[in-house]
């Protein structure tokens, strides 16, 4: 019969193993160019090397290697924060890192490590065009004033609800603004299911699915279809409370070859929409 001590030991080994797998997956999606390192020669594996992560985070190579190998070592909150910044984790990934490391719940991040200063400048420069930055889980990681004008006061939405899938399905105001909501929501859910194949073990993904299945009958219906469609939506129509009909074409920019962070730009699909946008900002 297994004792409580033995069960805790097994749980600890599993947690450390999950931590190592999580770090390796996030290291693999970042290229040397993204963090200012020379590309160098051929690489056996994609992404950064362990020694490069250790160097950028200011920790020892051996220590970081042990962390990825799931060895029984402790990591301080400061070190975990440095690793999070190096791997450019979004707020949900940042919290997941601390949980897997057995560290106290970190304070809410004031800025998203996944968004670089150059991305923030680009969002500002593209105003009045709406721009939104999302991860594969549909979390809104960043947006400009054009986006808040189009969709309402995004800043007023609680952080845990700042997710486009949540808002599309559970926020009547968002649904009222999206004229092609009925046609696009099935595609959004199918795209989300396709993306989840890479994240089936992550608590934040499972919690989001559980919540949406409980609170949205439509999501439950669509989820049970098991449709998968990784192709993004290219055009959308909106009913803005101040200026009426707006039509936008979408352009998706991926931050790196293996990144799941997308910058979505909304450009006018017709002259009528273009004529209304200059009214946004002086």
């Amino acid at each position: 019969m297994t004792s409580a001590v033995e069960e805790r030991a097994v749980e600890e080994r599993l947690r450390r193993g999950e931590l190592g797998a999580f770090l390796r997956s996030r290291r693999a999606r970042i290229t040397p160019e993204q963090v200012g390192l020379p590309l160098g020669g051929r690489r056996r594996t994609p992404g950064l090397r362990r020694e490069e992560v250790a160097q950028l985070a200011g920790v020892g190579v051996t220590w970081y290697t042990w962390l990825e190998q799931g060895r029984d070592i402790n990591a301080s909150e400061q070190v975990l924060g440095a690793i999070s910044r190096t791997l450019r984790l979004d707020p949900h990934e940042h919290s997941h890192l601390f949980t897997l490391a057995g560290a106290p719940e970190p304070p809410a991040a004031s800025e998203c490590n996944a968004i670089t200063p150059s991305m923030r400048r680009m969002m500002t420069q593209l105003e009045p065009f709406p721009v939104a930055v999302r991860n594969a889980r549909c979390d809104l990681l960043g947006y400009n004033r054009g986006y808040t004008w189009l969709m309402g006061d995004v800043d007023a939405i609680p952080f845990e609800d700042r997710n486009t899938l949540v808002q599309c399905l559970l926020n009547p105001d968002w649904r009222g603004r999206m004229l092609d909501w009925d046609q696009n929501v099935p595609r959004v859910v199918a795209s989300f299911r396709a993306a989840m194949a890479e994240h089936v073990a992550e608590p934040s993904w499972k919690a989001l699915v559980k919540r949406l299945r409980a609170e949205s009958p439509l999501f439950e219906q669509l989820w049970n279809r098991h449709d998968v469609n990784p192709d993004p939506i290219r055009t959308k129509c909106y009913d803005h409370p101040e200026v009426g009909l707006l039509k936008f074409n979408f352009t998706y920019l991926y931050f790196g070859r293996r990144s799941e962070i997308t910058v979505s730009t909304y450009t006018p699909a017709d002259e009528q929409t273009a004529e209304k946008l200059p009214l946004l900002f002086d």
Side-chain angles (χ1 to χ4, degrees), residues 254-271:
Y254 287 83
F255 188 62
R257 286 174 290 178
R258 287 175 292 276
S259 177
E260 294 182 329
I261 304 298
T262 58
V263 182
S264 303
T265 61
Y266 299 49
T267 53
D270 55 34
E271 289 300 321

Side-chain angles (χ1 to χ4, degrees), residues 82-93:
I83 293 173
S84 176
R85 289 189 293 274
T86 299
L87 297 179
R88 297 189 172 175
L89 303 185
D90 66 41
H92 300 277
E93 294 169 331

Side-chain angles (χ1 to χ4, degrees), residues 177-189:
R177 291 176 184 237
M178 303 171 70
L179 294 178
D180 41 15
W181 185 88
D182 291 333
Q183 293 78 26
N184 286 335
V185 164
R187 294 188 61 189
V188 172
V189 173

Side-chain angles (χ1 to χ4, degrees), residues 40-52:
R42 294 185 61 184
R43 293 173 175 251
R44 291 179 297 176
T45 57
L48 296 178
R49 300 186 176 104
R50 285 174 175 166
E51 56 267 28
E52 291 169 336

